[in-house]
Each structure stands twice: as structure tokens, then as C-alpha cells.
Amino acid sequence: MTETATISADDKTPAGSLTMTVDGHPVDAESRIEVINPSTAEVFTTVPDCSAEQFDQAVRGAEAAFAQWRRTPLEERQELLLKACEKIEANLDELARLLTLENGKPLANARGEIGAALGHWRAYAEIEFGDEVLRSDDERHIVLRRVPLGVVGAITAWNYPILLAAFKLGPALLAGNTVVLKPSPFTPVATLLFGRIVNEVFPPGVVQVLSGGDELGRWITAHPGIAKVSFTGSVPTGRAIMAASAPTLKRLTLELGGNDAGIVLPGTDIEKRADDLYWAGFSNCGQVCAGLKRLYVHESQIKEVAAALATVAATIKVGDGFDEGVQTGPIQNKPQFDRVRLLVDDAVDAGAEIVYQGDVPDDDGYFFPITIIGNAAEGSALVDEEPFGPVLPLITYSDIDDAITRANATDYGLGASVWGEDPDQTRRVAEQLEAGTVWINVHPSLLPTVPFGGRKQSGIGVEASRLGIEAYTDISVLHIKK
Ligand code: NAD
């Protein structure tokens, strides 16, 4: 084992205690990988780099635990999930601190992310799902049973490490599966502690948490002992996972990228909507799968919208997530930072104009200025691809039907939004947008009892709600002739 770097001067979690969890035990690895604090661009700790042998052992352990866990009554599984919430809540300060260190988001937002994860788990524990009698008469009794799948491989992205893990683990465990969880190598730290905490509640082997590079994800998709892969990440990785899962016909939930369009209808009360429009595009430093990424504005209001968004942007403090009053942190990692810069430069070269660009701290972190781009158009990568950073292109339209066509002219289909004051008109436009969720006068909003997922190449399946839990089951029909 290599020597571990220090987390920070006032840390409570010694870096060496950031272990994986296998069969309820803390497990280290022969080698460790470095984790960078995006606010300083410096390595702040290391985590275990799971070996192939350790991965295999974790899958075997989860398979063994499944035999018992699937027979545990649902009420008991629900109780354990709620008990895990209490444990997480008791450790919320430390989890949030690690999340801010590794992700960069302001501490209040890190706390908010963990709070949202708890809210989802508590609500999931009350969702009714299960067997359904399809026919019962003198001749036949037919029951549609919902049976667990086995071991679920859960793979998460770096923008919401704890919330994304909660979206997967809660439903998977309630449905009677065991889980091998792998966070992004960019943000494994809080997830490792999360794994230690929930293992105080669940029986050994039910929740295995491993850290490692992308190859760990590839091992998950290849392993015959994994029955389902539940993945959140980019479209290209989603495609690779689907292909790699084919030989063993794994079940898949793919929550992939988005390039969500918003349409501001003529006559919208811009002053009233400005704050919500701003945060639709810029929350979590623009690193939200279903964040607003292209804003279509009617020509009659384009100047007003640009000015209103710039006014809000000018009030935002960008900086280290631990600093007082900071509302927006850095971009989470260097490759993403470079990509956002490239997209903005490329759009400006092609004729777009910078309507607003904010200040950033004069530090080494991956701070990108909040940027609002005007005169943007399809054909530039900034508009056609998912930027995933603090930049929002404004696109002018003159005809609503044309705006709808342009908003839909993408392979993505995660979210979309319509902004306006006339309920009939906003609804009529919303129903024509091709997305898993279409919001009106808000964007995005995810609730535990409401399914969330992508259409087109933004994904397969949904998370949250009864449907999200049933996604971790197979159907087995019991057909009795009387
Ligand atoms: P990514 O696809 O690069 O990585 C995601 C995860 O997949 C990581 O844990 C990574 O280690 C793992 N991985 C990489 N290659 C793999 C492979 N071949 N097989 C298996 N696993 C592999 O995505 P990212 O950059 O971490 O996340 C950003 C993307 O995630 C954006 O596109 C964003 O829109 C998307 N996202 C989607 C949702 C949603 O719910 N739809 C939510 C959050 C983020």
C-alpha cells in the first residue's frame, strides 16, 4: 500500500480510513489513486484502486448475501433503509465536507445533495410495489410476481456522487437485490464513507462499495455474476456499457447526458422568471444532467432576457465551496474545464457574442467564469453538444413552431422546459417537446414519487417512483389452473 496524502488540516476522517467496503469489512488495495480538490487543483487524498481479484470477491460476496436478502420481508428492508437514513444524517457534516472537497460545490449545496438523497430514500420506503393478481376466477389464478434480479452493478458520475448513488441503491435494495457500487474516479471519497456508514445497518455483502478507475466499470459490465447495470454518466459510456452487457444480457438502466432546451414564449414576465431561469442553467456550476443548456427566446424579448440573466449572474459569488457566501464552485475536473473553454472559444470564433462573463478567483482551481452567450446558433458545438459547465447560449427565434422543431432537433431527450404566462399556450408547446420530462416555468425538478429518465439517446428506463423500483425486478408469472 502506498502512503496516503493528508485530506486537510482540520479533517475528522483520516485519509487512511477511506476504504472500500466488502462483506461489511473495510478493505484497502495494493495501490491507491489520487483525488484532486478542484478548488485548488491539488491532490488532497488517495483512495484504494480495487484489483480485479478484489472486485471478483465483492461480486461473490454480494451473490452470497443475495440468497438471504431476497427473502428478507419488504417491511424489514424498508426499516433498514430508514435506519440507514438516520446514520447518514448523523454523519451529514462529514459527508458534506468530503463532498465539497472532492466535487467543489458549496458546502450548503453538498448538504443539500445529501438531504435530497435522504428525502428520496425516505419516500422510496413508502412506495407500494409488488405482486399483482391478473386473473382470479373458477378456472384460473394468475399472479404477476416482481422478483429481484440478483447483484446490481451501480456506476455513478461525478456531478452528484451521493444523490446518484441513492437513486440506485434505494430502489435496488427495496426490490431485494444486493449492490456493488462504483463511484467516478474523480469523486470517490464521500461515497466510500457513505459505504462505511450504511454498512453499519445492512447485512454484510448487501452493499459493496469499491473505488477504482474506469476499468472497474468495465469489469462490472463483463462479470457474469452481475444481473443488472444501473449507470449514470455520458452517452458514449452508456453505449459502451450497453454493448458490453450484451453477452450476458444484463438488465440496464441508463441515465445519460442531456442537452435540454428551454423556450421562452413571447409575453413572458421576465422579471418574475429571471431567478428561476438563471438557476435552471447554472445550478451546480452548470453540471446538471437535466439542466437548461440551450435557451430559445422570442426576438421580442431577447435583449430583456440577456439583461435579466446578466443581472442575476452579476450577484453570484464564485469560489472555493468552503468560503463564506460562495454560491458557485469550480468545474469539477480539468478535462471538463478544458472542454467548456473550447466550446465557448469555438462559439465566439463562429460569431456568437459574450453577453456576460463574470469574475473568478485568481487561484489555481478549475474556476470558469459564469458566461452567457448571445447570438448563438445551431451548428456550433456549444449549442449542439452538452456543455456541462457554467455557460448558457441564448438563441433567438421568431416563430414558435420553428423553435419547437429546433429544440427537438437533437439525439438527446432528457429534459426540456417552456416559460410563459398563458397556461394553455405553455402546455400546448410543452406537449410537443421530445423529452423524458418537460417542465413549465421550472427546470429541473426531481421528486421521489415521479419517474425520471431520458428519451432518445438520453437513456433507457427511469429512476425514482414505483416504476424506478420495479426496474430492479423481473416479472415471473404464477399461473394456476384450478
Ligand atoms: P462518464 O460516462 O465519463 O463516467 C461515468 C461513470 O462511468 C464513471 O464512474 C466512470 O468511471 C464509468 N465508466 C467509464 N467508462 C466506463 C466503461 N467503459 N464501462 C463502465 N463504466 C465506465 O460520465 P461523467 O463525465 O462522469 O459524467 C458526466 C455525464 O453524466 C454527463 O453527460 C451528464 O449529463 C451525465 N449525467 C446524467 C444524469 C442522468 O440522470 N441522466 C445524471 C448525472 C450526470
PDB file of all heavy atoms in Angstrom, residues 433-448:
ATOM      1  N   LEU A 433     -42.652  18.876 -26.995  1.00  0.00           N
ATOM      2  CA  LEU A 433     -41.202  18.727 -26.798  1.00  0.00           C
ATOM      3  C   LEU A 433     -40.861  17.270 -26.488  1.00  0.00           C
ATOM      4  O   LEU A 433     -41.543  16.617 -25.682  1.00  0.00           O
ATOM      5  CB  LEU A 433     -40.720  19.666 -25.690  1.00  0.00           C
ATOM      6  CG  LEU A 433     -40.826  21.149 -26.051  1.00  0.00           C
ATOM      7  CD1 LEU A 433     -40.378  22.036 -24.889  1.00  0.00           C
ATOM      8  CD2 LEU A 433     -39.997  21.474 -27.300  1.00  0.00           C
ATOM      9  N   GLU A 434     -39.800  16.786 -27.127  1.00  0.00           N
ATOM     10  CA  GLU A 434     -39.443  15.369 -27.028  1.00  0.00           C
ATOM     11  C   GLU A 434     -38.433  15.161 -25.910  1.00  0.00           C
ATOM     12  O   GLU A 434     -37.221  15.197 -26.127  1.00  0.00           O
ATOM     13  CB  GLU A 434     -38.855  14.906 -28.368  1.00  0.00           C
ATOM     14  CG  GLU A 434     -39.860  14.993 -29.503  1.00  0.00           C
ATOM     15  CD  GLU A 434     -39.205  14.907 -30.878  1.00  0.00           C
ATOM     16  OE1 GLU A 434     -37.965  14.834 -30.969  1.00  0.00           O
ATOM     17  OE2 GLU A 434     -39.950  14.944 -31.873  1.00  0.00           O
ATOM     18  N   ALA A 435     -38.945  14.975 -24.698  1.00  0.00           N
ATOM     19  CA  ALA A 435     -38.050  14.791 -23.556  1.00  0.00           C
ATOM     20  C   ALA A 435     -38.736  13.932 -22.495  1.00  0.00           C
ATOM     21  O   ALA A 435     -39.966  13.876 -22.433  1.00  0.00           O
ATOM     22  CB  ALA A 435     -37.686  16.148 -22.956  1.00  0.00           C
ATOM     23  N   GLY A 436     -37.910  13.277 -21.671  1.00  0.00           N
ATOM     24  CA  GLY A 436     -38.443  12.438 -20.596  1.00  0.00           C
ATOM     25  C   GLY A 436     -39.256  13.256 -19.607  1.00  0.00           C
ATOM     26  O   GLY A 436     -40.233  12.766 -19.036  1.00  0.00           O
ATOM     27  N   THR A 437     -38.829  14.473 -19.348  1.00  0.00           N
ATOM     28  CA  THR A 437     -39.618  15.395 -18.514  1.00  0.00           C
ATOM     29  C   THR A 437     -39.650  16.747 -19.207  1.00  0.00           C
ATOM     30  O   THR A 437     -38.615  17.242 -19.668  1.00  0.00           O
ATOM     31  CB  THR A 437     -38.989  15.604 -17.121  1.00  0.00           C
ATOM     32  OG1 THR A 437     -38.718  14.338 -16.518  1.00  0.00           O
ATOM     33  CG2 THR A 437     -39.933  16.399 -16.216  1.00  0.00           C
ATOM     34  N   VAL A 438     -40.834  17.336 -19.277  1.00  0.00           N
ATOM     35  CA  VAL A 438     -40.960  18.713 -19.761  1.00  0.00           C
ATOM     36  C   VAL A 438     -41.534  19.534 -18.610  1.00  0.00           C
ATOM     37  O   VAL A 438     -42.624  19.256 -18.113  1.00  0.00           O
ATOM     38  CB  VAL A 438     -41.869  18.806 -20.998  1.00  0.00           C
ATOM     39  CG1 VAL A 438     -41.882  20.247 -21.509  1.00  0.00           C
ATOM     40  CG2 VAL A 438     -41.385  17.862 -22.099  1.00  0.00           C
ATOM     41  N   TRP A 439     -40.757  20.501 -18.171  1.00  0.00           N
ATOM     42  CA  TRP A 439     -41.196  21.359 -17.071  1.00  0.00           C
ATOM     43  C   TRP A 439     -41.788  22.652 -17.628  1.00  0.00           C
ATOM     44  O   TRP A 439     -41.400  23.109 -18.714  1.00  0.00           O
ATOM     45  CB  TRP A 439     -40.009  21.718 -16.168  1.00  0.00           C
ATOM     46  CG  TRP A 439     -39.458  20.572 -15.379  1.00  0.00           C
ATOM     47  CD1 TRP A 439     -39.935  20.087 -14.195  1.00  0.00           C
ATOM     48  CD2 TRP A 439     -38.297  19.764 -15.679  1.00  0.00           C
ATOM     49  NE1 TRP A 439     -39.161  19.031 -13.753  1.00  0.00           N
ATOM     50  CE2 TRP A 439     -38.154  18.818 -14.643  1.00  0.00           C
ATOM     51  CE3 TRP A 439     -37.377  19.749 -16.733  1.00  0.00           C
ATOM     52  CZ2 TRP A 439     -37.125  17.871 -14.607  1.00  0.00           C
ATOM     53  CZ3 TRP A 439     -36.354  18.798 -16.708  1.00  0.00           C
ATOM     54  CH2 TRP A 439     -36.230  17.871 -15.664  1.00  0.00           C
ATOM     55  N   ILE A 440     -42.698  23.254 -16.877  1.00  0.00           N
ATOM     56  CA  ILE A 440     -43.230  24.578 -17.241  1.00  0.00           C
ATOM     57  C   ILE A 440     -42.874  25.541 -16.106  1.00  0.00           C
ATOM     58  O   ILE A 440     -43.215  25.299 -14.937  1.00  0.00           O
ATOM     59  CB  ILE A 440     -44.753  24.525 -17.481  1.00  0.00           C
ATOM     60  CG1 ILE A 440     -45.041  23.644 -18.707  1.00  0.00           C
ATOM     61  CG2 ILE A 440     -45.328  25.931 -17.670  1.00  0.00           C
ATOM     62  CD1 ILE A 440     -46.506  23.440 -19.034  1.00  0.00           C
ATOM     63  N   ASN A 441     -42.131  26.579 -16.447  1.00  0.00           N
ATOM     64  CA  ASN A 441     -41.692  27.625 -15.514  1.00  0.00           C
ATOM     65  C   ASN A 441     -40.833  27.106 -14.361  1.00  0.00           C
ATOM     66  O   ASN A 441     -40.787  27.706 -13.287  1.00  0.00           O
ATOM     67  CB  ASN A 441     -42.897  28.421 -14.977  1.00  0.00           C
ATOM     68  CG  ASN A 441     -43.524  29.256 -16.084  1.00  0.00           C
ATOM     69  OD1 ASN A 441     -42.828  29.708 -16.993  1.00  0.00           O
ATOM     70  ND2 ASN A 441     -44.832  29.441 -16.018  1.00  0.00           N
ATOM     71  N   VAL A 442     -40.167  26.009 -14.575  1.00  0.00           N
ATOM     72  CA  VAL A 442     -39.176  25.490 -13.632  1.00  0.00           C
ATOM     73  C   VAL A 442     -38.318  24.522 -14.441  1.00  0.00           C
ATOM     74  O   VAL A 442     -38.755  24.014 -15.465  1.00  0.00           O
ATOM     75  CB  VAL A 442     -39.854  24.793 -12.423  1.00  0.00           C
ATOM     76  CG1 VAL A 442     -40.642  23.567 -12.859  1.00  0.00           C
ATOM     77  CG2 VAL A 442     -38.854  24.422 -11.343  1.00  0.00           C
ATOM     78  N   HIS A 443     -37.068  24.299 -13.980  1.00  0.00           N
ATOM     79  CA  HIS A 443     -36.202  23.391 -14.748  1.00  0.00           C
ATOM     80  C   HIS A 443     -34.884  23.252 -13.989  1.00  0.00           C
ATOM     81  O   HIS A 443     -34.230  24.261 -13.805  1.00  0.00           O
ATOM     82  CB  HIS A 443     -35.944  23.993 -16.140  1.00  0.00           C
ATOM     83  CG  HIS A 443     -35.228  23.078 -17.109  1.00  0.00           C
ATOM     84  ND1 HIS A 443     -35.345  23.211 -18.472  1.00  0.00           N
ATOM     85  CD2 HIS A 443     -34.372  22.042 -16.926  1.00  0.00           C
ATOM     86  CE1 HIS A 443     -34.625  22.302 -19.091  1.00  0.00           C
ATOM     87  NE2 HIS A 443     -34.013  21.584 -18.167  1.00  0.00           N
ATOM     88  N   PRO A 444     -34.487  22.106 -13.526  1.00  0.00           N
ATOM     89  CA  PRO A 444     -35.218  20.857 -13.436  1.00  0.00           C
ATOM     90  C   PRO A 444     -35.827  20.721 -12.039  1.00  0.00           C
ATOM     91  O   PRO A 444     -35.531  21.522 -11.158  1.00  0.00           O
ATOM     92  CB  PRO A 444     -34.110  19.810 -13.619  1.00  0.00           C
ATOM     93  CG  PRO A 444     -32.909  20.437 -12.980  1.00  0.00           C
ATOM     94  CD  PRO A 444     -33.085  21.932 -13.086  1.00  0.00           C
ATOM     95  N   SER A 445     -36.609  19.680 -11.824  1.00  0.00           N
ATOM     96  CA  SER A 445     -37.143  19.383 -10.502  1.00  0.00           C
ATOM     97  C   SER A 445     -37.402  17.887 -10.445  1.00  0.00           C
ATOM     98  O   SER A 445     -38.182  17.367 -11.240  1.00  0.00           O
ATOM     99  CB  SER A 445     -38.439  20.179 -10.303  1.00  0.00           C
ATOM    100  OG  SER A 445     -39.081  19.742  -9.135  1.00  0.00           O
ATOM    101  N   LEU A 446     -36.711  17.203  -9.538  1.00  0.00           N
ATOM    102  CA  LEU A 446     -36.812  15.735  -9.441  1.00  0.00           C
ATOM    103  C   LEU A 446     -37.454  15.353  -8.118  1.00  0.00           C
ATOM    104  O   LEU A 446     -36.961  15.750  -7.056  1.00  0.00           O
ATOM    105  CB  LEU A 446     -35.415  15.105  -9.514  1.00  0.00           C
ATOM    106  CG  LEU A 446     -34.866  14.751 -10.894  1.00  0.00           C
ATOM    107  CD1 LEU A 446     -34.822  15.952 -11.812  1.00  0.00           C
ATOM    108  CD2 LEU A 446     -33.483  14.142 -10.762  1.00  0.00           C
ATOM    109  N   LEU A 447     -38.521  14.611  -8.170  1.00  0.00           N
ATOM    110  CA  LEU A 447     -39.233  14.219  -6.952  1.00  0.00           C
ATOM    111  C   LEU A 447     -39.235  12.699  -6.819  1.00  0.00           C
ATOM    112  O   LEU A 447     -39.304  11.991  -7.828  1.00  0.00           O
ATOM    113  CB  LEU A 447     -40.674  14.746  -6.998  1.00  0.00           C
ATOM    114  CG  LEU A 447     -40.793  16.277  -7.129  1.00  0.00           C
ATOM    115  CD1 LEU A 447     -42.235  16.693  -7.357  1.00  0.00           C
ATOM    116  CD2 LEU A 447     -40.218  16.960  -5.896  1.00  0.00           C
ATOM    117  N   PRO A 448     -39.174  12.188  -5.564  1.00  0.00           N
ATOM    118  CA  PRO A 448     -39.022  10.738  -5.366  1.00  0.00           C
ATOM    119  C   PRO A 448     -40.164   9.898  -5.911  1.00  0.00           C
ATOM    120  O   PRO A 448     -39.962   8.739  -6.256  1.00  0.00           O
ATOM    121  CB  PRO A 448     -38.919  10.576  -3.846  1.00  0.00           C
ATOM    122  CG  PRO A 448     -39.128  11.910  -3.244  1.00  0.00           C
ATOM    123  CD  PRO A 448     -39.115  12.949  -4.301  1.00  0.00           C
TER     124      PRO A 448
END
